[in-house]
Amino acid sequence: MDLLTSKNNNNIPSIFVLFGMTGDLVAKKIIPSLWHLFQQQRLPNHLAIIGFSRRDLMDTELKTLIKESIEKHGGVITNEEEFLMFSKLFSYQAGTFEDKESFSSLSSHIDKIEAEWNMCANKLFYLAVPPTSYEKIFKNLAEAKLNLPCGEELGWSRILIEKPFGAGLVSAQELQTLLSSYFKEEQIYRIDHYLFKEIIQGIENFRFSNNLFEDIWDNTRIDRIDIRLHESIGVENRGSFYDSVGTLRDVGQNHLLTMLAAITMEYPHGMSPDTVRKNRARILETLSPWTDDSVSLNTFRSQYNGYKNINGVSPDSETETYFAFKTELLHPRWKDVPIFIEAGKRMAEARKEIVVTLKHPNECLLCQIGPHAPNSIVFRLEPNDEIVIHFWMKKPGFEHILEERVFSFFLYEKETKVQYVEEYSKVIYAAIAGNQTHFVSSEEVESEWKFTDPIINAWKNDLTPLSQYEPDTTPSPVVLRVELDRDHVETTSRAGAIGIIGLGKMGGNIARRLISKKWSVVGFNKTPDETKELVSEGIDGAYSLREFVEKLSKPRIVWLMVPHQTVDEVLVELISLLEKGDTIIDGGNSPYRESIRRGKELESKGIDFLDIGVSGGPGGARTGACMMAGGKIESYKKLEATGFFNDACVQNGWGYMGTSGAGHFVKMVHNGIEYGMMQSIAEGLDLMHSSKEFKLDMKKVMDVYSHGSVITSSLVSWMNDAYKKYGEDLNDISGKASASGEGAWTVEAGRREGVKMPAIQTALDVRKASQVKTSYQGKVISAMRGEFGQHPVSRGEDEPEIITN
């Protein structure tokens, strides 16, 4: 039974001690929430609430404080008799946190209540006080033995503390050490009230209680995640506090990362509090670590004009009132899904939400007719509590045109909610019940600070300069300006211009990819038929290198996708036609040492040179490749600034590897690894296919391997496709496993560097041997090569020779 929806708390005798009774937190949140629980009949039948503060309060003053708190922050009191019953639950203990005698008196006060009830009660100590008072309170509670239970099942002492849990990782660890000195972890209830918001809790059930989206809740179907916490209010009378904290520590380190954990955590089997909390912590531990460069590139901070005029704010304050950053989780389920998080004060409107944007369908009916955007799911906390699903339907009428529709359901009408009451009612209720599910664990706190500290430290060193924004506006920083699913963004403007020499399987598909991204592509091929075919698909065809160069706008970008043996031959004529400032890219599989030489030669002529290894095969070239670039960093950044990588590559599938030759070196090693992986797959399938003990259905085996196994991969999926196409005996597949050179180059590079490579060497030896005597392993390798590289695979087809050096 869910403790947060049952009324079992009525049978748990409890004594609730409020340290800081006369402070704002108690008045604004705790008393109104207790009143709400009282009206809902969700408080224990035996409950005593003891206020503890420095001020002396008479009974009449205490009642007035309680009444004013309810009327100002919790709604109206319509029944005076009901209020009197509620106020009788309260008593007051004057004292200071430093004074042992005050805690001795508090202990006697509690003993008296338990004696009247003739039972042992749970004690809940709520610290509605600054963290500087924690140590004194913890120590004196322990001195009075109020941190110990008075019974076996009842009588637990529980401590409730509010964020911030430290001001950084070190202080958070110090706080944990202090807490651990006096309390066990099961007694510690760290409050992040966002975990008690209905929408955040509802995410668990939206995901795990339905069979609707959870199977696609990963990087295969989700394009990006946006989490924002925009507040229209400013800092107002909290200047001194806020200036010492800033927006990142106030809401980013806790609330926003809590929201991220809720939307990305793994299924908590059994839903035990310990499992849920561990799963939240584990997903946060996979956040990509920051470096100075990534903080500079992917974070933004700003302060609204007029903030420095607020009482308590330093006149030279560098405190941010708005921040944004881009990050990702390195968890296999979420890797490469960009996550955009932002929060700020004095925004144009109050908007608190999580937006999960899905990837666009590979083939989308009618999507090219009229406007279109990917589907999205919005979990919104403000201005309304609602979940909204955006999707597309045919517009009614004769025309086949799409229009956007939304499926929305409200959890609350906005006017029925009182700020904080709902969440803090649940906080108190869960603490009474002893349910820690939605309280923050020490592991979560540590993970959050480990992620946040590097940003804070880098900002102190001004690696991300503080900007300004006008109040009641919402900044639009560059770190958030990433187009959604660029494959399907409708635009009439050209994105960039490039020339491609070599329009075969790879070059032709790169051209098609860029055309689909609105690039202007000039194409040249040694044989004109391929050029003519692509002209019909949108390229500007050229039938000589001179015509090719003349059609390109300056500064020119030229992509070579020709066999490595002919690169120099092409360059001799091409260089004479180009000018200083132009860029040549070798996108083929050239030996990296040749690329080092070419980089030096072209640099002497004032022409930029990049060697870019391309992975993904012809299919990847068409749908988004993986690219590894070498060359001068300035040349790389110049190309990146055109948007080329963003348009030609799969999301986050490109990077700068180093100076000239590094791109082709990394791609060479990539292909060597590929040889070894293919060989291990071939050996395993050969063993299963040859098994005399079991008659295995190889298609079924590979189908299972392709769905969620540890070895699930592109190669395994391609082999799965090959079995479906050719049958498990692969009768129509050549057993001569060919090679194109990179495996041998990798082994040779290993020899030069003194690195042993037995797996890749064995893969090469098997391929060589298959030229003389075919084998099932050779068939498997040929089948995979045919699926991803469209290499000849049928028996009798011409095959390239094995390259051994």
Side-chain angles (χ1 to χ4, degrees):
M1 180 179 290
D2 187 343
L3 289 170
L4 293 181
T5 56
S6 73
K7 291 196 177 183
N8 286 349
N9 279 9
N10 295 63
N11 300 318
I12 304 174
S14 301
I15 297 172
F16 196 15
V17 179
L18 298 177
F19 290 109
M21 178 68 185
T22 57
D24 281 349
L25 179 59
V26 172
K28 291 179 178 178
K29 301 176 182 178
I30 301 172
I31 291 175
S33 299
L34 286 165
W35 170 247
H36 178 70
L37 289 171
F38 177 78
Q39 290 183 305
Q40 296 293 317
Q41 298 180 23
R42 289 188 177 270
L43 290 177
N45 295 327
H46 289 86
L47 174 67
I49 305 167
I50 303 172
F52 188 108
S53 280
R54 183 187 298 271
R55 274 171 51 192
D56 284 322
L57 284 181
M58 304 294 290
D59 285 348
T60 54
E61 292 175 306
L62 179 61
K63 280 186 182 178
T64 300
L65 184 152
I66 297 166
K67 192 168 190 178
E68 288 178 351
S69 170
I70 294 171
E71 291 178 338
K72 189 173 182 180
H73 303 289
V76 297
I77 297 172
T78 57
N79 187 317
E80 192 64 29
E81 186 177 344
E82 186 181 36
F83 170 73
L84 288 174
M85 289 175 61
F86 176 69
S87 64
K88 287 179 181 178
L89 299 174
F90 288 80
S91 58
Y92 187 75
Q93 171 84 41
T96 64
F97 305 143
E98 301 88 351
D99 182 24
K100 292 182 183 179
E101 289 302 316
S102 297
F103 284 79
S104 178
S105 298
L106 176 63
S107 179
S108 298
H109 192 153
I110 290 171
D111 288 342
K112 183 179 178 182
I113 294 169
E114 288 183 315
E116 290 175 359
W117 291 349
N118 194 27
M119 63 178 69
C120 171
N122 282 341
K123 289 92 177 170
L124 290 88
F125 300 101
Y126 198 122
L127 274 63
V129 299
T132 51
S133 300
Y134 286 177
E135 185 170 5
K136 304 165 196 170
I137 295 174
F138 297 159
K139 183 177 180 180
N140 284 324
L141 283 173
E143 287 278 347
K145 299 191 184 312
L146 288 172
N147 61 332
L148 302 176
C150 59
E152 293 182 3
E153 294 186 4
L154 290 177
W156 276 105
S157 288
R158 296 172 183 144
I159 195 91
L160 286 83
I161 58 175
E162 290 270 355
K163 74 165 186 73
F165 312 117
L169 179 59
V170 173
S171 59
Q173 289 171 333
E174 290 172 350
L175 174 60
Q176 179 57 30
T177 300
L178 179 64
L179 278 164
S180 300
S181 300
Y182 302 105
F183 299 93
K184 298 178 181 179
E185 182 62 23
E186 57 264 32
Q187 293 177 273
I188 303 168
Y189 288 67
R190 301 173 192 83
I191 302 166
D192 182 338
H193 71 272
Y194 266 62
L195 281 170
F196 289 88
K197 285 184 175 291
E198 195 65 47
I199 283 287
I200 303 303
Q201 292 187 351
I203 289 172
E204 292 176 358
N205 296 101
F206 181 89
R207 291 182 56 192
F208 305 133
S209 302
N210 299 290
N211 193 23
L212 192 60
F213 291 111
E214 187 59 21
D215 285 346
I216 63 165
W217 210 252
D218 56 29
N219 51 15
T220 64
R221 293 292 183 271
I222 291 177
D223 190 58
R224 63 183 280 167
I225 297 172
D226 292 82
I227 304 176
R228 58 183 62 99
L229 203 164
H230 293 177
E231 296 181 276
S232 57
I233 60 172
V235 173
E236 277 80 47
N237 60 354
R238 301 172 66 216
S240 180
F241 164 76
Y242 207 87
D243 205 41
S244 67
V245 177
T247 306
L248 180 60
R249 278 193 284 197
D250 186 42
V251 299
Q253 177 270 336
N254 38 74
H255 298 334
L256 287 162
L257 293 183
T258 288
M259 293 163 74
L260 175 63
I263 206 73
T264 58
M265 64 184 280
E266 292 293 290
Y267 186 94
H269 294 283
M271 279 300 292
S272 71
D274 187 53
T275 302
V276 174
R277 281 151 51 106
K278 281 183 178 177
N279 283 12
R280 288 199 304 259
R282 283 171 182 162
I283 199 67
L284 293 177
E285 287 166 3
T286 70
L287 278 162
S288 180
W290 293 103
T291 64
D292 286 349
D293 286 343
S294 64
V295 170
S296 178
L297 185 65
N298 292 320
T299 73
F300 175 85
R301 62 185 180 124
S302 193
Q303 184 186 94
Y304 66 79
N305 288 326
Y307 169 78
K308 293 177 183 176
N309 299 326
I310 295 172
N311 186 36
V313 173
S314 170
D316 57 354
S317 172
E318 288 286 303
T319 299
E320 80 286 350
T321 57
Y322 171 87
F323 75 85
F325 62 75
K326 173 188 174 183
T327 187
E328 70 168 301
L329 296 163
L330 301 182
H331 190 283
R333 183 184 183 117
W334 295 106
K335 192 168 183 345
D336 297 331
V337 176
I339 297 165
F340 302 90
I341 293 179
E342 57 171 329
K345 296 282 190 181
R346 291 297 297 269
M347 299 284 96
E349 64 171 337
R351 184 164 291 273
K352 302 175 183 179
E353 62 190 8
I354 304 171
V355 181
V356 177
T357 303
L358 304 182
K359 291 184 177 180
H360 201 284
N362 289 332
E363 294 186 24
C364 180
L365 183 66
L366 302 180
C367 288
Q368 302 306 316
I369 305 174
H372 195 265
N375 305 121
S376 61
I377 305 168
V378 183
F379 301 89
R380 184 166 292 140
L381 294 77
E382 201 171 317
N384 299 304
D385 282 282
E386 59 183 336
I387 299 176
V388 182
I389 302 174
H390 294 256
F391 59 101
W392 294 84
M393 292 293 292
K394 178 186 173 297
K395 187 175 182 178
F398 292 97
E399 287 76 20
H400 286 260
I401 299 174
L402 293 176
E403 65 176 354
E404 188 175 24
R405 299 284 186 89
V406 294
F407 174 72
S408 173
F409 55 95
F410 287 82
L411 298 186
Y412 295 93
E413 292 295 335
K414 183 179 178 182
E415 60 269 20
T416 64
K417 290 186 66 178
V418 178
Q419 191 177 29
Y420 301 122
V421 168
E422 172 202 24
E423 300 96 78
Y424 276 85
S425 295
K426 288 184 177 181
V427 166
I428 295 166
Y429 191 78
I432 292 172
N435 186 343
Q436 288 185 304
T437 302
H438 296 108
F439 291 92
V440 182
S441 67
S442 60
E443 290 83 2
E444 290 172 83
V445 173
E446 191 160 318
S447 297
E448 291 168 349
W449 281 121
K450 281 181 179 177
F451 177 75
T452 311
D453 266 1
I455 306 176
I456 296 169
N457 294 333
W459 286 358
K460 285 178 181 177
N461 294 323
D462 207 29
L463 291 184
T464 301
L466 182 71
S467 68
Q468 301 290 317
Y469 65 98
E470 291 300 317
D472 308 319
T473 65
T474 300
S476 181
V478 173
V479 296
L480 300 180
R481 293 180 200 162
V482 176
E483 274 188 76
L484 302 178
D485 199 352
R486 290 177 59 90
D487 279 338
H488 302 278
V489 173
E490 305 299 328
T491 176
T492 58
S493 63
R494 286 292 179 184
I498 193 170
I500 299 178
I501 298 175
L503 301 175
K505 291 176 290 189
M506 291 293 293
N509 275 354
I510 288 175
R512 292 181 177 94
R513 169 79 177 179
L514 292 173
I515 289 169
S516 74
K517 300 293 188 175
K518 311 302 181 185
W519 277 65
S520 175
V521 180
V522 178
F524 170 78
N525 200 70
K526 187 175 181 180
T527 55
D529 288 345
E530 285 81 0
T531 306
K532 290 176 182 177
E533 180 181 343
L534 280 161
V535 166
S536 67
E537 298 182 43
I539 74 160
D540 187 358
Y543 297 92
S544 71
L545 279 181
R546 180 170 294 279
E547 181 189 7
F548 171 84
V549 171
E550 288 175 351
K551 284 189 172 186
L552 288 172
S553 57
K554 300 178 184 179
R556 305 174 184 91
I557 302 172
V558 178
W559 180 283
L560 303 184
M561 190 59 86
V562 299
H564 72 88
Q565 299 94 332
T566 64
V567 171
D568 284 336
E569 178 186 333
V570 174
L571 286 178
V572 168
E573 183 179 356
L574 182 63
I575 291 170
S576 67
L577 301 170
L578 297 180
E579 300 173 4
K580 288 184 177 181
D582 291 343
T583 299
I584 294 176
I585 303 160
D586 181 2
N589 287 325
S590 291
Y592 73 92
R593 287 186 162 184
E594 293 295 295
S595 297
I596 295 173
R597 173 181 60 80
R598 289 166 186 150
K600 291 177 181 177
E601 291 175 358
L602 288 169
E603 183 179 5
S604 69
K605 299 179 185 298
I607 296 174
D608 291 342
F609 176 75
L610 292 170
D611 53 287
I612 298 181
V614 182
S615 180
R622 181 65 183 89
T623 60
C626 170
M627 296 188 183
M628 309 141 219
K632 293 175 65 176
I633 184 64
E634 296 83 3
S635 303
Y636 171 79
K637 287 184 175 179
K638 188 166 74 171
L639 180 62
E640 188 176 42
T642 68
F644 170 80
F645 292 112
N646 200 47
D647 288 336
C649 297
V650 70
Q651 185 172 294
N652 297 325
W654 71 89
Y656 176 69
M657 302 295 111
T659 55
S660 290
H664 281 152
F665 180 79
V666 173
K667 178 56 166 49
M668 175 193 74
V669 175
H670 163 284
N671 283 19
I673 294 169
E674 177 188 301
Y675 274 55
M677 292 173 68
M678 292 173 72
Q679 179 61 30
S680 66
I681 292 170
E683 290 173 9
L685 299 192
D686 191 10
L687 175 60
M688 289 187 285
H689 182 259
S690 303
S691 172
K692 297 179 178 60
E693 190 170 3
F694 303 104
K695 185 170 178 56
L696 297 171
D697 183 337
M698 298 303 295
K699 288 187 284 187
K700 175 62 70 176
V701 170
M702 290 308 289
D703 195 47
V704 172
Y705 277 2
S706 298
H707 293 86
S709 76
V710 172
I711 63 169
T712 295
S713 62
S714 296
L715 289 170
V716 169
S717 296
W718 281 322
M719 193 60 222
N720 186 30
D721 293 339
Y723 272 140
K724 292 175 181 176
K725 191 180 296 184
Y726 301 106
E728 64 182 56
D729 291 330
L730 303 174
N731 288 326
D732 293 329
I733 299 292
S734 170
K736 293 183 178 182
S738 300
S740 54
E742 294 90 339
W745 300 344
T746 306
V747 171
E748 178 58 32
R751 290 195 191 102
R752 286 196 300 270
E753 300 294 340
V755 177
K756 295 181 179 180
M757 296 191 162
I760 300 174
Q761 181 65 64
T762 299
L764 275 172
D765 293 342
V766 169
R767 293 195 186 197
K768 290 177 189 177
S770 74
Q771 303 300 305
V772 179
K773 184 178 180 181
T774 61
S775 65
Y776 190 76
Q777 292 182 25
K779 288 175 178 284
V780 171
I781 293 168
S782 293
M784 282 188 281
R785 293 184 81 244
E787 289 303 305
F788 75 80
Q790 299 175 18
H791 300 292
V793 297
S794 299
R795 289 183 296 178
E797 288 190 26
D798 291 334
E799 297 172 352
E801 294 180 359
I802 288 285
I803 299 173
T804 59
N805 53 52

